[in-house]
Amino acid sequence: MKANFKPEALQYLANKIPSGSFVILTTDDGSNKYSSIGATCELADKFQLIILNHADEQFSIKLENNANYQLSMTAPEKYLVSDEITIGFDHGTLTLRDKSGILDNALAVIDWRNVNPESERDRLNKMVTLGDQIC
């Protein structure tokens, strides 16, 4: 799989994600430990780039990319995107596209390098609260 970062996206991310960083592309829908949202109305329609201190073994699908990131995603989420994705920067936000069109027009960048992971219970409580507020 490949991820092409457009020049505008590379410029925007230059001060946010250091070259060589471990980065995962994942959904923000409650389906993984990096998600803060747990609402059925959000399933697979929000994506995020998560910056990590080290690789996460659950994110084993490597994405070649022109940003010099160690970029990966999970096998269960692979069906959500085609083999070639594009990350652009349009109207002040990052965009995620593939051959089918726009997948997310507000791709988030979240820095987890200094985050203390929540317990499963705390995460579930937070997601339920957020889910009630969004849907």
Side-chain angles (χ1 to χ4, degrees):
M1 294 188 68
K2 291 184 180 182
N4 178 43
F5 287 78
K6 290 189 171 184
E8 300 83 9
L10 290 171
Q11 183 177 354
Y12 173 78
L13 293 169
N15 294 325
K16 295 180 180 359
I17 306 176
S19 180
S21 291
F22 293 98
V23 179
I24 56 173
L25 173 65
T26 188
T27 56
D28 188 8
D29 61 4
S31 65
N32 63 74
K33 64 185 174 187
Y34 301 102
S35 179
S36 61
I37 298 174
T40 55
C41 64
E42 300 295 331
L43 291 178
D45 78 336
K46 291 184 181 291
F47 289 83
Q48 55 189 348
L49 293 172
I50 305 287
I51 311 164
L52 301 173
N53 287 320
H54 49 78
D56 183 325
E57 62 188 35
Q58 292 180 339
F59 291 78
S60 60
I61 305 296
K62 304 296 182 202
L63 284 85
E64 293 178 39
N65 65 89
N66 62 328
N68 195 32
Y69 301 145
Q70 296 185 52
L71 184 62
S72 60
M73 65 186 305
T74 65
E77 292 179 338
K78 186 179 178 206
Y79 82 95
L80 297 171
V81 298
S82 67
D83 286 340
E84 292 195 27
I85 59 173
T86 301
I87 297 167
F89 187 73
D90 299 314
H91 305 296
T93 63
L94 287 174
T95 59
L96 176 66
R97 301 173 190 259
D98 72 1
K99 62 184 175 184
S100 69
I102 296 175
L103 300 173
D104 191 341
N105 61 358
L107 179 64
V109 178
I110 311 295
D111 190 344
W112 268 65
R113 292 175 293 178
N114 296 314
V115 172
N116 292 325
E118 299 170 302
S119 71
E120 285 297 314
R121 184 180 189 154
D122 289 342
R123 191 169 77 82
L124 177 62
N125 289 338
K126 182 178 171 183
M127 288 189 323
V128 167
T129 300
L130 284 171
D132 288 344
Q133 294 170 356
I134 343 180
C135 293

